[in-house]
Amino acid sequence: MRTAFIEELCELAATDKKVFLLCGDLGFSVLEVFADRFPDRFMNVGISEQNMIQVASGLALEGYNVFVYSIGNFPTLRCMEQIRYDVCYHNLNVTIVAVGAGYAYGPLGVSHHTTEDIAMMRSIPNMLVAAPGDPWEAKLITRYFVQNPGPGYMRVNKAGELAVHSTCGLGAIEPGSLLPIKEGVGTAVVSTGAILDLIVSQLDAKGLRYGVFSCPFISRLDSDGLMGVLKRYNQVITVEEHQLSGGFGSFFLEEINRLHVAGLIDEFPLVRRVGIPDIFQGFAGTQDFLREKAGIRI
Amino acid sequence: MRSIDLARSVRMKALELCFTKKASHIGGAFSIADVLAVLYSEVMKIDCDKPSNINRDRLFYSKGHACTALYAVLDEVGFFKDLNLMEEFTSNGSFFTSHVNHRLPGVELSTGSLGHALGVSCGVAVAAKRQNREYQVYTIVSDGELDEGSNWEAILFASHHKLDNLTLVVDYNKIQSFGRVEDILQLEPLVDKFEAFGWDCLEVDGHDHHAISKALIHRGKVRVKPTVLIAHTIKGKGVSFMENNLLWHYKSPSEEEYVAAKAELEARL
């Protein structure tokens, strides 16, 4: 996913001279392709995330379309207030890209487990939150953020993810869309982020004929799309590699509740949320091990 | 307007705002009034009719709590012609919040949370260099907010990137929220710190307009470093019973105090 991001950013930066990339001394062997091609629009600000977001804000005030790249909690939780006040209150063109979503850096320990970022980021006004489900989504969401102004946050896994959408011929992704992966009966599984591939394979292994959707933006859910899903399915399972409190499942429940209160859906569907049950996992483990240990399974 | 006259108007207006709207931070507004007056009357290239002019000099006012001084100076030099500062300040629905708000003309950045504006200024200064623009970036911080680590990240950054288009002014009035800076978190030796971080460092009496102006305008022509002006100031400067008194970080003047303060400011005419 990180490769899909940087390749797309390079391609767009070739024609969009406003694209600027900052990193906080992370991104070795990933960002060089951009730094070498566009040295006048790249800067490593050092290991100083508060300042990185502030510098990004200053550049954005002067017209740049700034992308900020770092690992998980560092460009998010570490500098939360800079994101809130400098980027989001001023509604600036700053997109934060965090690599290592969920347990992607599993063995590195809790410092690198990015498991509360969705809750934090989606609580800030003006912030558009995205979690691509595969490299295709990462590429198209990058394009969306380059082409549309305003604050953004994209959490990406790392490297080597399978292309779930390889045969779908995705053209563009708009915020709020529910991307169909497979049709099914009774239950709709709605997933955000890179857990998508694992969920599809778990369903196949169990022979469950559930419908599957990827929901790459955790903001501005499209009401018509959601109503369409709820017409066809009477149960929903949300899946995320993130803690349950305040995350994607909470977001989805709030959206269903919004429709229900507005009288747009007749029945409130049964919703089961799959995610991390608000715990730290202080032991070492691969991403798959920690996902399983947290109970992220259908 | 001469800077000395502007400073007096700024103090009068700040006093009136704090009195009529029961606002705080008059002490910090008075300590920076002279620096602001010099910047806006003699130093900065600005046009109040074109607040977004790309070539304007930028001022980033990090001590957003001392809003009355910035609002007063912007009002005096004409940025608020379509607004009524005295009436709208802190009123329901107005953008005149009591920490400065970028939704007002002439205010570059909303502040109030300390330790933000210097880093943002660095980004703006980098943008000027990358875009070959001539404007200058001025940033005003309070002494107490130098406790914030984010400022020192920015101080490192500005020096490393040779941001010679950036000038930082420290309003060094020696008093922060709970007492004296030296008792709460010592900044000294402050000059040595800035010099060690690679900045050109100047010290001035922050109420001596000639000295402030000279330092801001005539600092070395060939520069390769960011400049910091450490302005030694007096909290509450201009009104005897407010000077060097922590209470005026918080208190808004009573009617008697307002009358007495006004009389003192007028007596200095």
Side-chain angles (χ1 to χ4, degrees):
Chain A
M1 279 188 187
R2 61 188 184 191
T3 309
F5 156 70
I6 199 67
E7 284 178 355
E8 183 69 8
L9 193 71
C10 282
E11 193 176 325
L12 297 171
T15 49
D16 184 342
K17 305 294 183 196
K18 294 293 188 188
V19 172
F20 203 114
L21 177 63
L22 296 179
C23 81
D25 206 32
L26 288 168
F28 182 75
S29 81
V30 177
L31 304 183
E32 289 83 349
V33 285
F34 188 101
D36 292 344
R37 259 181 94 180
F38 312 106
D40 58 333
R41 287 184 279 145
F42 174 79
M43 192 175 260
N44 178 354
V45 304
I47 308 163
S48 51
E49 290 78 14
Q50 294 184 78
N51 195 48
M52 177 163 68
I53 299 298
Q54 290 165 175
V55 169
S57 301
L59 289 166
L61 280 174
E62 298 304 328
Y64 283 111
N65 189 1
V66 188
F67 284 72
V68 172
Y69 182 93
S70 187
I71 287 179
N73 299 312
F74 313 147
T76 52
L77 275 62
R78 179 62 176 260
C79 43
M80 189 69 190
E81 206 220 7
Q82 276 79 9
I83 296 169
R84 174 185 182 266
Y85 200 43
D86 300 335
V87 175
C88 289
Y89 179 45
H90 294 81
N91 206 18
L92 296 174
N93 288 334
V94 175
T95 300
I96 297 159
V97 179
V99 68
Y103 296 124
Y105 286 112
L108 275 60
V110 172
S111 61
H112 286 60
H113 296 168
T114 309
T115 48
E116 305 89 33
D117 56 317
I118 292 173
M120 302 290 272
M121 290 299 127
R122 82 179 189 89
S123 71
I124 311 177
N126 294 341
M127 178 58 91
L128 181 60
V129 179
D134 79 345
W136 268 105
E137 290 186 16
K139 174 188 167 76
L140 294 175
I141 291 168
T142 302
R143 187 181 302 170
Y144 182 87
F145 279 129
V146 171
Q147 294 173 345
N148 292 275
Y153 171 58
M154 180 166 77
R155 66 173 343 226
V156 298
N157 189 60
K158 205 167 62 180
E161 304 84 4
L162 293 176
V164 180
H165 286 289
S166 56
T167 57
C168 295
L170 281 177
I173 304 179
E174 291 292 319
S177 47
L178 287 163
L179 308 174
I181 305 295
K182 23 189 321 196
E183 287 293 315
V185 182
T187 298
V189 177
V190 185
S191 171
T192 198
I195 197 79
L196 177 63
D197 170 50
L198 179 72
I199 292 304
V200 170
S201 48
Q202 281 183 0
L203 289 171
D204 287 346
K206 290 187 173 183
L208 294 169
R209 292 183 58 243
Y210 294 166
V212 180
F213 297 85
S214 179
C215 184
F217 282 96
I218 309 157
S219 302
R220 307 180 199 165
L221 193 59
D222 172 45
S223 296
D224 291 338
L226 177 54
M227 285 191 288
V229 170
L230 297 180
K231 266 190 193 130
R232 279 178 285 151
Y233 300 92
N234 57 13
Q235 295 193 31
V236 175
I237 301 174
T238 64
V239 185
E240 62 197 300
E241 193 172 348
H242 180 276
Q243 76 170 19
L244 290 172
S245 290
F248 172 67
S250 300
F251 162 74
F252 213 78
L253 268 178
E254 290 164 18
E255 292 299 308
I256 294 172
N257 190 57
R258 178 171 61 80
L259 297 182
H260 188 61
V261 169
L264 294 169
I265 52 171
D266 297 330
E267 282 188 42
F268 203 108
L270 190 69
V271 178
R272 180 180 146 220
R273 293 180 300 143
V274 172
I276 301 166
D278 302 358
I279 51 164
F280 293 118
Q281 298 207 78
F283 32 75
T286 63
Q287 185 171 25
D288 285 342
F289 174 84
L290 292 167
R291 283 169 164 179
E292 174 60 26
K293 196 90 178 154
I296 307 176
R297 70 182 84 87
I298 293 297
Chain B
M1 196 186 304
R2 291 188 314 149
S3 71
I4 210 84
D5 298 323
L6 182 56
R8 185 180 304 112
S9 306
V10 165
R11 284 198 173 88
M12 290 294 274
K13 200 160 265 187
L15 174 70
E16 201 173 333
L17 286 169
C18 286
F19 169 62
T20 56
K21 302 289 185 171
K22 301 278 174 242
S24 301
H25 304 301
I26 186 83
F30 281 3
S31 67
I32 199 61
D34 294 299
V35 168
L36 282 174
V38 172
L39 278 167
Y40 277 89
S41 62
E42 295 178 17
V43 179
M44 287 172 54
K45 295 183 188 69
I46 44 161
D47 179 351
C48 63
D49 294 321
K50 294 176 188 159
S52 303
N53 183 348
I54 190 78
N55 294 314
R56 73 194 183 282
D57 289 342
R58 277 91 163 140
L59 176 77
F60 289 87
Y61 192 67
S62 200
K63 43 178 287 169
H65 55 284
C67 66
T68 52
L70 185 70
Y71 289 163
V73 80
L74 291 174
D75 198 28
E76 287 294 324
V77 301
F79 279 95
F80 298 156
K81 281 198 281 281
D82 299 329
L83 298 162
N84 186 337
L85 169 63
M86 297 311 295
E87 201 167 283
E88 295 174 42
F89 180 58
T90 68
S91 295
N92 290 340
S94 137
F95 288 129
F96 284 107
T97 47
S98 61
H99 289 86
V100 302
N101 196 334
H102 73 286
R103 301 175 82 162
L104 296 164
V107 178
E108 301 284 351
L109 187 76
S110 290
T111 57
S113 174
L114 298 172
H116 286 235
L118 183 57
V120 176
S121 310
C122 286
V124 171
V126 168
K129 289 190 167 290
R130 300 275 170 113
Q131 296 170 346
N132 294 314
R133 298 198 185 276
E134 295 291 315
Y135 61 78
Q136 294 291 308
V137 183
Y138 298 93
T139 309
I140 294 176
V141 297
S142 66
D143 46 11
E145 75 168 297
L146 287 176
D147 297 353
E148 295 279 7
S150 55
N151 276 325
W152 294 96
E153 292 181 4
I155 290 165
L156 270 176
F157 178 94
S159 160
H160 179 88
H161 292 285
K162 300 183 171 53
L163 300 181
D164 55 7
N165 51 354
L166 174 67
T167 301
L168 172 65
V169 179
V170 179
D171 180 10
Y172 200 5
N173 61 34
K174 324 285 188 299
I175 296 176
Q176 59 188 98
S177 295
F178 252 62
R180 296 195 65 78
V181 169
E182 62 184 349
D183 297 329
I184 291 161
L185 200 54
Q186 177 65 280
L187 294 175
E188 291 298 333
L190 190 55
V191 171
D192 292 353
K193 286 190 176 75
F194 273 106
E195 287 182 343
F197 273 71
W199 286 57
D200 274 334
C201 192
L202 303 166
E203 284 186 277
V204 291
D205 172 347
H207 304 301
D208 178 340
H209 287 226
H210 179 67
I212 298 165
S213 169
K214 195 175 154 204
L216 289 172
I217 296 171
H218 302 294
R219 61 185 196 268
K221 296 274 185 215
V222 184
R223 289 181 291 139
V224 290
K225 296 176 177 180
T227 299
V228 57
L229 187 66
I230 296 178
H232 293 281
T233 57
I234 294 168
K235 197 150 187 162
K237 172 72 178 178
V239 173
S240 58
F241 59 88
M242 292 182 176
E243 290 186 358
N244 284 318
N245 186 342
L246 177 65
L247 268 187
W248 295 99
H249 191 76
Y250 303 99
K251 202 169 150 39
S252 58
S254 66
E255 182 143 18
E256 297 74 29
E257 287 162 339
Y258 168 69
V259 170
K262 198 173 169 194
E264 278 200 34
L265 292 174
E266 279 169 350
R268 290 176 183 239
L269 285 171

